[in-house]
Amino acid sequence: MSLSRRQVRLRREYLYRRSLEGREKEVYEKKRKVAEALAAGKPIPTELRDEEAELRRLDELDPSRGGPLNRAPGMLDDEYARSLTGERQAKVCVSTSRDPSSRLKQFAKELKHMLPNSTRVNRGNARVSALVEATRRGEFTDLILVHETRGQPDGLVVCHLPLGPTTYFTLENCVLRHDVDTPPKYSSDIAPHLIFHDFDETKPLARRLKTVLTCLFPVPKSEGHERLCTFYNAEDRISFRHHAASREGKEVELKELGPRFEMRPYMIKLGTLDQADADVEWVLRPYMNSAKKII
């Protein structure tokens, strides 16, 4: 099933806005450097002296006009902006690769119970394009596909709807809920509190992955901490843990609910899962294995 003309047009318009955003960011950085130099009484950077007059005329450099000098561009055109502001509540569809094993089905079922306001769909013989179109019509915010090798879950794909992006992860050391020692019962209606540890907020990839994972969950209520989902970054591998919390006086007891697994991102595409020719925003290269931390 091919994309409708409307989806193609919307995607083209979105990519055009992103290209404008890149140029706006470059101008923003120049204006920021000039503003910092003026505030500190330092000389204008050499590479910006020819553009100084033009940059200083812009509204962002005039505090009396209330220009958004401290606001970096991009948020208004962010695919997740509506989700981050609470305007669009998370609604996730969980499915599998074709002909899944019983273990993969169980893993998809546990993901469904872990994610509030989610639905598990049996894939059957449906093509990826048909699955994406069906979830788009159902007004889902995200589509999750899990894959396996010899009965062991080893891949997870998060496709944000309606226009993307699509994030690809490998899975390792997957332990299902029924393999955890006496896991307590829990309700999928309770939105968990999310903990992100050791995500370097100064790195665009870390911010991107944190947004992708955060927007799979609805905003939790502030008065309770019944469930906790932890994403722990260690050597660019994200360890996921799922706990139930109970409080007795000042003591807090944690019990693991499951599932647990390690995930490693290897590609982000600026499109949906059915768009093979979508632009690649980021991809893991072999030489990155020995580089510094990327998340």
Side-chain angles (χ1 to χ4, degrees), residues 66-125:
L69 179 59
N70 297 319
R71 178 184 63 80
M75 182 61 187
L76 295 180
D77 193 39
D78 194 304
E79 311 94 318
Y80 291 94
R82 293 178 58 198
S83 298
L84 292 173
T85 58
E87 180 182 349
R88 190 185 187 201
Q89 291 297 322
K91 182 181 178 183
V92 182
C93 177
V94 180
S95 190
T96 65
S97 55
R98 289 182 179 177
D99 194 22
S101 65
S102 58
R103 184 173 177 82
L104 189 66
K105 290 180 180 178
Q106 179 64 26
F107 181 57
K109 182 178 179 181
E110 293 179 7
L111 288 180
K112 184 266 178 188
H113 285 296
M114 184 189 72
L115 297 168
N117 198 27
S118 62
T119 302
R120 183 172 67 91
V121 174
N122 293 325
R123 170 79 176 272
N125 293 322

Side-chain angles (χ1 to χ4, degrees), residues 27 31 53-63 65:
V27 174
K31 292 184 292 189
E54 177 65 22
L55 293 172
R56 293 184 64 174
R57 281 198 296 267
L58 298 177
D59 291 341
E60 283 83 352
L61 294 181
D62 186 0
R65 299 188 184 183

Side-chain angles (χ1 to χ4, degrees), residues 78-85 88-92 141-142 160 194 196 209-218:
D78 194 304
E79 311 94 318
Y80 291 94
R82 293 178 58 198
S83 298
L84 292 173
T85 58
R88 190 185 187 201
Q89 291 297 322
K91 182 181 178 183
V92 182
T141 60
D142 294 272
H160 189 62
L194 306 181
F196 290 89
L209 293 175
K210 184 176 179 180
T211 299
V212 169
L213 297 172
T214 299
C215 292
L216 294 176
F217 299 85

Side-chain angles (χ1 to χ4, degrees), residues 264-292:
R264 190 182 190 190
Y266 65 88
M267 185 165 58
I268 302 176
K269 281 191 171 184
L270 289 174
T272 52
L273 189 58
D274 55 338
Q275 292 178 299
D277 57 346
D279 293 337
V280 176
E281 177 179 339
W282 174 86
V283 64
L284 180 67
R285 302 293 185 185
Y287 64 82
M288 292 181 181
N289 294 337
S290 59
K292 296 181 180 179

Side-chain angles (χ1 to χ4, degrees), residues 215-251:
C215 292
L216 294 176
F217 299 85
V219 178
K221 296 182 179 179
S222 58
E223 63 268 16
H225 291 76
E226 292 86 354
R227 283 205 296 146
L228 299 174
C229 288
T230 304
F231 297 91
Y232 182 93
N233 176 37
E235 302 300 328
D236 296 329
R237 282 177 168 80
I238 303 172
S239 298
F240 173 79
R241 298 296 185 268
H242 184 202
H243 292 90
S246 59
R247 182 185 297 272
E248 295 183 3
K250 295 183 179 180
E251 299 293 327

Side-chain angles (χ1 to χ4, degrees), residues 20-219:
L20 291 179
E21 175 186 316
R23 291 194 290 272
E24 290 172 356
K25 183 177 181 180
E26 181 180 355
V27 174
Y28 170 83
E29 288 299 323
K30 291 181 179 180
K31 292 184 292 189
R32 182 182 62 80
K33 291 179 181 179
V34 173
E36 290 178 354
L38 293 174
K42 297 180 179 180
I44 302 298
T46 305
E47 67 274 12
L48 299 179
R49 288 178 182 175
D50 293 340
E51 305 177 62
E52 176 191 355
E54 177 65 22
L55 293 172
R56 293 184 64 174
R57 281 198 296 267
L58 298 177
D59 291 341
E60 283 83 352
L61 294 181
D62 186 0
S64 64
R65 299 188 184 183
L69 179 59
N70 297 319
R71 178 184 63 80
M75 182 61 187
L76 295 180
D77 193 39
D78 194 304
E79 311 94 318
Y80 291 94
R82 293 178 58 198
S83 298
L84 292 173
T85 58
E87 180 182 349
R88 190 185 187 201
Q89 291 297 322
K91 182 181 178 183
V92 182
C93 177
V94 180
S95 190
T96 65
S97 55
R98 289 182 179 177
D99 194 22
S101 65
S102 58
R103 184 173 177 82
L104 189 66
K105 290 180 180 178
Q106 179 64 26
F107 181 57
K109 182 178 179 181
E110 293 179 7
L111 288 180
K112 184 266 178 188
H113 285 296
M114 184 189 72
L115 297 168
N117 198 27
S118 62
T119 302
R120 183 172 67 91
V121 174
N122 293 325
R123 170 79 176 272
N125 293 322
R127 298 170 59 184
V128 170
S129 56
L131 188 60
V132 171
E133 184 60 29
T135 51
R136 187 182 285 120
R137 289 198 306 268
E139 297 184 352
F140 286 91
T141 60
D142 294 272
L143 168 64
I144 292 180
L145 279 184
V146 288
H147 301 272
E148 65 180 342
T149 299
R150 298 184 182 89
Q152 181 65 27
D154 66 350
L156 185 145
V157 182
V158 179
C159 175
H160 189 62
L161 300 172
L163 300 176
T166 302
T167 310
Y168 298 79
F169 299 91
T170 57
L171 295 182
E172 299 174 350
N173 305 321
C174 185
V175 178
L176 303 188
R177 174 177 165 80
H178 64 265
D179 295 329
V180 178
D181 296 336
T182 61
K185 295 182 179 180
Y186 66 92
S187 171
S188 61
D189 295 332
I190 301 174
H193 285 255
L194 306 181
I195 300 174
F196 290 89
H197 182 76
D198 207 17
F199 280 69
D200 190 347
E201 293 288 343
T202 63
K203 297 180 179 179
L205 179 60
R207 295 196 302 269
R208 184 64 147 168
L209 293 175
K210 184 176 179 180
T211 299
V212 169
L213 297 172
T214 299
C215 292
L216 294 176
F217 299 85
V219 178

Side-chain angles (χ1 to χ4, degrees), residues 10-21:
L10 291 175
R11 185 65 196 168
R12 190 183 298 115
E13 291 175 356
Y14 166 72
L15 292 176
Y16 176 69
R17 292 197 305 270
R18 286 297 294 263
S19 68
L20 291 179
E21 175 186 316

